[in-house]
Amino acid sequence: MTTLDTQPPERRMAAPRKRARTFPRLGKYATHVVMITGLLVTIFPFVWVALMATHSRSEIYSSPPPFWIGDNLAENYIKLLDVMPFWTVLFNSLWVATAGTVGAVFFCSMCAYGFFAFNFRGKNLIFGIMIASMMVPPVLGLIPFFLTVQFLGILDTHLAIWLPGIANAFGIFLIRQYMVQSISRELLDAAKVDGASEFRIFWSVVLPLIKPALATLGIVMFIGLWNNFLTPLIVLSSPDKYVLTLALRSVQSIANSPWGAIMLGTFLSMLPLLIAFLFFSRQMMAGLTAGAVKG
């Protein structure tokens, strides 16, 4: 009999168990490496824009490009104000994004409440057509959109940018599904027994219960309107009504574009989005994960 056979069973199993414990540890390290790599890839564009905002045009085009903080920040800020009315277009973008977000949250929640609380003929058909409309590329509706805006007389106004999207299919679907998961019909019936009107039920009972979904829709709409470039390009023609995306793009078409100033304007345009996400990220995550766990 060999020496291995004479050893106790506990000692013979010790080596395999030790090897088995190393595999979960290696998997944990690999997961951390992947997550850190993804984080670096995600934040690199923001860091790169911030660094380039402190350099001159010649330094940006140098080889290799500078990976340190420069000393041209003040000069780039002066150039930014020279080539475009930055704070005016920033206010225009803020106004468009805020108005469109508030309107979308209110009207999408009202439409979603109608699909959730009422039964009427053709309800499922209308809801299905609305969901199917989300599969149509927005580019196909540009010409009808322009003709409609022109017919309504709101061409070259900020109203033409945010008004058409305040009752969109995505927002209605998102909030309606959240209502199905989080609101019981017995609660609505109890409110009706107490004498509350439909709007009172919607405003005082339903809205407080769907705050995560409202925050999710608000962030999605705010980011979409803030980054919107195609719609302002079609409907706006007056430079004093430009939004940030359109104004920054127009600066790139001039000779010897001041890329340091453009990078500074781009970085400043990111700050409202970061602030909005920091304030509403928790509600957004709760809205996106609603219904994912039973119990």
Side-chain angles (χ1 to χ4, degrees), residues 107-121:
F107 286 102
C108 288
S109 59
M110 287 188 66
C111 294
Y113 177 74
F115 280 110
F116 169 72
F118 299 103
N119 292 319
F120 50 89
R121 182 176 299 178

Side-chain angles (χ1 to χ4, degrees), residues 97-98 100-112 134 165-176 178-179 207 210-225 276 280-281 283-288:
T98 303
T101 300
V102 173
V105 169
F106 180 71
F107 286 102
C108 288
S109 59
M110 287 188 66
C111 294
M134 297 172 59
I166 60 175
N168 58 85
F170 169 76
I172 298 172
F173 172 75
L174 174 68
I175 297 182
R176 187 259 182 187
Y178 191 88
M179 289 180 179
L207 285 187
I210 60 171
K211 286 182 179 179
L214 299 179
T216 302
L217 178 61
I219 292 180
V220 172
M221 288 299 302
F222 189 88
I223 293 176
L225 289 169
F280 299 102
S281 59
Q283 290 85 353
M284 181 179 180
M285 298 306 173
L288 292 176

Side-chain angles (χ1 to χ4, degrees), residues 156-194:
D156 197 24
T157 64
H158 294 149
L159 193 65
I161 302 176
W162 61 266
L163 182 63
I166 60 175
N168 58 85
F170 169 76
I172 298 172
F173 172 75
L174 174 68
I175 297 182
R176 187 259 182 187
Q177 294 304 109
Y178 191 88
M179 289 180 179
V180 172
Q181 294 288 338
S182 59
I183 300 177
S184 63
R185 297 198 177 263
E186 289 78 8
L187 182 63
L188 303 183
D189 295 337
K192 292 179 181 178
V193 171
D194 291 338

Side-chain angles (χ1 to χ4, degrees), residues 195-214:
S197 62
E198 291 293 345
F199 186 80
R200 182 63 181 272
I201 296 173
F202 165 74
W203 188 262
S204 301
V205 178
V206 175
L207 285 187
L209 297 177
I210 60 171
K211 286 182 179 179
L214 299 179

